């Protein structure tokens, strides 16, 4: 059968994109799939989301108005048309033709129920759960022949993991809107935080409540342990973030279908979820693959459920393994088979003239896969998957079709804006275990100068390099991995993707470094706690050292602060905001001080203060500290683009 998807946006954000893409790929395995979009928000072909073209799937027209959708529905010779978003389901009911079967698909929006008059214009409606099907069935007007069934899924087809589960990190994802109830999650974490000081919380997503959530985090003093990660860039997958966690948290008050649950479970995470009839209740079995918390249980009940998994690694492992099995039972192939069976049953019940079988699946909000993006020379970029190993080394696995016919090519990484021309070249070979072709960069054996390294594939017979587009980056190992210390100094490697999806490597290499562990803002000052790293750094007498704040402005004055040794071997210093105000540049809109350490007798010069460990490339976005207003000046600590710690003083206008 020929299957055509009418999609809302070729490059739209959100998990619904992935759900439809996975379903299309599954159907494309046995049918010819065509994709027709209402819109395409991509600015350039290079800004493709993630997927590569799937056999059996082709791109159809872009129909960017109601009139064009109506014309498309009138002229198609499809056997079956299926629509998902409420607007397109309505258009299907209004403009769909009797010559094909019309099916509405469950909506991804929270608390959405289609009117019975719309449902009556369809041959069938596929809801996301039994409870969702029941409420839509109840909305049907008397005499309506519409068949309402439950077809859950699909769970995402993940390409990483499963999660190791040892990170002491709770992960949540979803739009920051009232139905997500992320304030309840933050309050629950606040209740357990004093008792479990080594656990942290990450919340991924964006929405109108972001500022309110940030204020709540600051008011509770959790800004060192709760991170609002924002929305992922278009090229990145949420699955690479789920596997960094040990527990998945879902606090939504209700969803017709909660793909977030299945995505987390597909990565092997046990779920602590609100017990919702239209989401978690249909997928999570309490005590088997996760824990269900009553919706009216409040933050204390949710905190108790989190603590149960925090305190029992055995339960986390057991439930994580069961979560994988649950997700597999709701995979794309299963959902595609049920949808195709529904379409076939409806077709058999209709009396129509024989013609070439064709199934048109009109699904919305899919992010399909355009051709591989082109490099500046017009040639397709190489595609690869990058994995950080437990010791911090990098394995880059290349797609087989990226190699030249001879199979002879090198991986090349070149440091940006480097007058010395630093580059590395590694032959591309078959990887151990028959996992593909690629290279491994051994972190212990290779010293890379600090900077950003662009990655290429360079065929030996042509000499024309191609940038590497990163399909996925598995950096879960970096969540718990400390910076490397050896005779060369302190080093870290962090792979990431650029805005165009290119694989890039950020490296740090320093003789000594002060790794920031927390910043506490209180009593008109910022207190920084850090650990000294580097050969001999811990042996330097702290009593002969000081912290210095170096003003970026030539007129601004530097500050000197005593460095204190803490009983646990760490060091601390306090930046007094009043002293900074006294050194403010006259009439300046902003003054900035970069924080360093100075050891009087070590001969090391200034030691950078910052955070180079971890898995986050943009600390300024995710690691935010509260601002303090003193008079007409607002002061705040922040991380720079180089991951150094600095203090900004901004004029309040």
């Amino acid at each position: 059968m020929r299957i055509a998807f009418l999609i809302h946006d070729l490059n739209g954000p959100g998990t619904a994109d992935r759900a439809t893409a996975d379903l299309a790929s599954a159907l494309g395995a046995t049918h010819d799939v065509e994709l027709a979009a209402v819109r395409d928000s991509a600015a350039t072909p290079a800004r493709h989301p993630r997927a590569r073209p799937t056999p059996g799937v082709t791109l159809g027209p872009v129909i960017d108005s109601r009139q064009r959708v109506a014309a498309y529905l009138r002229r198609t010779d499809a056997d079956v048309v299926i629509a998902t978003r409420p607007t397109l389901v309505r258009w299907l009911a209004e403009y769909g033709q009797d010559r094909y079967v019309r099916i509405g698909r469950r909506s991804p929006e929270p608390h959405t129920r289609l009117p019975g008059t719309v449902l009556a214009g369809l041959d069938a409606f596929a809801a996301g759960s039994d409870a969702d099907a029941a409420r839509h069935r109840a909305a049907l007007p008397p005499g309506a022949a519409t068949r309402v069934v439950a077809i859950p899924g699909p769970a995402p087809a993940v390409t990483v993991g499963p999660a190791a589960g040892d990170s002491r990190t709770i992960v949540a994802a979803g739009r920051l809107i009232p139905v997500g109830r992320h304030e309840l999650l933050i309050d629950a974490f606040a209740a357990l935080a004093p008792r479990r000081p080594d656990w942290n919380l990450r919340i991924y997503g964006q929405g109108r409540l972001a500022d309110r959530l940030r204020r709540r985090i600051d008011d509770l003093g959790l800004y060192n342990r709760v991170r609002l990660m924002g929305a992922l860039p278009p090229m990145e997958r949420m699955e690479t973030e789920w596997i960094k966690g040990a527990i998945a948290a879902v606090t939504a008050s209700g969803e017709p279908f909660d793909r977030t649950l299945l995505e987390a479970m597909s990565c092997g995470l046990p779920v602590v979820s609100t017990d919702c009839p239209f989401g978690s209740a249909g997928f999570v079995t309490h005590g088997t693959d996760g824990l269900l918390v009553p919706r009216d249980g409040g933050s204390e009940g949710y905190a108790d459920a989190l603590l149960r998994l925090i305190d029992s690694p055995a339960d986390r492992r057991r439930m994580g393994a069961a979560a994988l099995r649950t997700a597999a039972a709701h995979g794309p192939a299963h959902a595609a088979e049920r949808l195709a069976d529904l379409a076939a049953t409806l077709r058999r019940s209709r009396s129509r003239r024989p013609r070439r079988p064709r199934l048109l699946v009109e699904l919305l909000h899919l992010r399909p896969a355009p051709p591989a993006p082109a490099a500046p020379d017009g040639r397709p970029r190489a595609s690869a998957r990058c994995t950080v190993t437990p010791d911090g080394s990098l394995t880059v696995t290349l797609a087989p079709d990226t190699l030249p016919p001879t199979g002879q090519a090198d991986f090349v990484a070149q440091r940006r804006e480097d007058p010395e021309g630093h580059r590395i070249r590694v032959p591309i070979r078959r990887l151990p275990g028959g996992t593909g072709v690629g290279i491994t960069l051994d972190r212990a054996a290779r010293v890379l100068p600090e900077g950003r390294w662009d990655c290429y594939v360079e065929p030996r017979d042509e000499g024309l390099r191609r940038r590497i587009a990163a399909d996925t980056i598995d950096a879960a190992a970096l969540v718990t991995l400390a910076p490397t210390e050896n005779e060369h100094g302190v080093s870290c490697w962090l792979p990431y993707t650029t805005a165009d999806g290119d694989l890039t490597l950020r490296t740090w290499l320093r003789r000594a470094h002060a790794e920031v562990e927390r910043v506490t803002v209180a009593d008109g000052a910022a207190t920084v706690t850090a650990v000294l790293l580097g050969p001999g750094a811990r042996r330097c007498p702290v009593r002969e050292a000081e912290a210095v704040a170096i003003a970026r402005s030539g007129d601004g004055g530097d500050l000197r602060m005593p460095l204190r040794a803490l009983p646990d071997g760490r060091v601390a210093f306090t930046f007094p905001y009043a002293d900074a105000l006294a050194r403010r540049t006259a009439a300046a809109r902003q003054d900035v001080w970069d924080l360093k350490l100075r050891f009087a007798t070590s001969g090391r010069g200034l030691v950078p203060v910052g955070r180079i460990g971890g898995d986050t490339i943009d600390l300024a976005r995710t690691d935010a500290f509260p601002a303090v207003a003193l008079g007409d000046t607002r002061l705040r600590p922040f991380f720079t683009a180089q991951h150094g710690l600095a203090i900004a003083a901004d004029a309040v206008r």
Side-chain angles (χ1 to χ4, degrees), residues 229-251:
M229 306 298 293
L232 292 180
M235 310 301 174
E236 297 184 20
R237 303 183 182 203
M238 186 59 207
E239 66 200 53
T240 62
E241 306 307 310
W242 285 121
I243 62 171
K244 297 174 182 177
I247 301 170
V250 179
T251 48

Side-chain angles (χ1 to χ4, degrees), residues 474-559:
D474 179 352
L478 293 177
V479 176
T480 57
L481 187 65
T484 297
E485 296 180 84
N486 54 32
E487 67 274 14
H488 302 291
V490 184
S491 66
C492 281
W493 295 358
L494 174 57
Y496 70 98
T497 55
T498 67
D500 290 329
D502 293 328
L503 176 64
T504 306
L505 179 61
R506 178 66 165 97
T507 61
W508 288 270
L509 180 63
R510 297 171 177 179
R511 294 175 57 197
H513 172 74
E515 181 77 353
V516 173
E517 294 199 341
R518 63 180 178 271
V519 178
T520 305
V521 178
D523 302 324
T527 298
V528 179
T529 302
V531 57
L532 294 176
L533 302 175
R538 293 187 179 89
R539 297 192 298 271
C540 295
V542 173
R543 64 181 180 276
E544 299 179 12
E546 63 181 359
V548 294
I550 301 175
R552 292 187 186 178
S553 169
D555 297 330
D558 297 345
L559 285 83

Side-chain angles (χ1 to χ4, degrees), residues 546-561 573 575 580 583 585 591-598 605-609 638 640 645-649:
E546 63 181 359
V548 294
I550 301 175
R552 292 187 186 178
S553 169
D555 297 330
D558 297 345
L559 285 83
R560 300 169 60 186
M561 298 151 283
F573 63 90
F575 183 97
R583 290 165 172 78
T585 304
D591 281 319
V592 176
W593 289 267
D594 293 298
L595 302 179
K596 312 283 184 181
L597 301 184
R598 179 186 289 134
L606 294 176
V607 175
V609 176
F638 72 98
T640 68
L645 187 63
I647 306 289

Side-chain angles (χ1 to χ4, degrees), residues 30-92:
T30 52
H31 305 286
D32 291 331
V33 177
E34 178 185 88
L35 307 175
V38 174
R39 64 187 296 247
D40 183 1
S41 62
T44 66
R47 297 186 65 83
H48 74 295
R50 57 179 67 85
R52 298 173 63 79
T54 302
V57 180
T58 58
L59 291 178
V62 174
I63 42 181
D64 55 2
S65 68
R66 176 172 180 160
Q67 291 75 19
R68 291 186 178 183
V69 171
Y72 182 81
L73 293 174
R74 285 193 296 267
R75 72 173 180 264
T76 182
D77 63 347
D79 292 318
V80 181
V81 176
I82 305 174
T84 28
R85 269 204 180 179
T87 297
L88 290 182
V89 173
R90 289 185 175 93
W91 291 350
L92 174 59

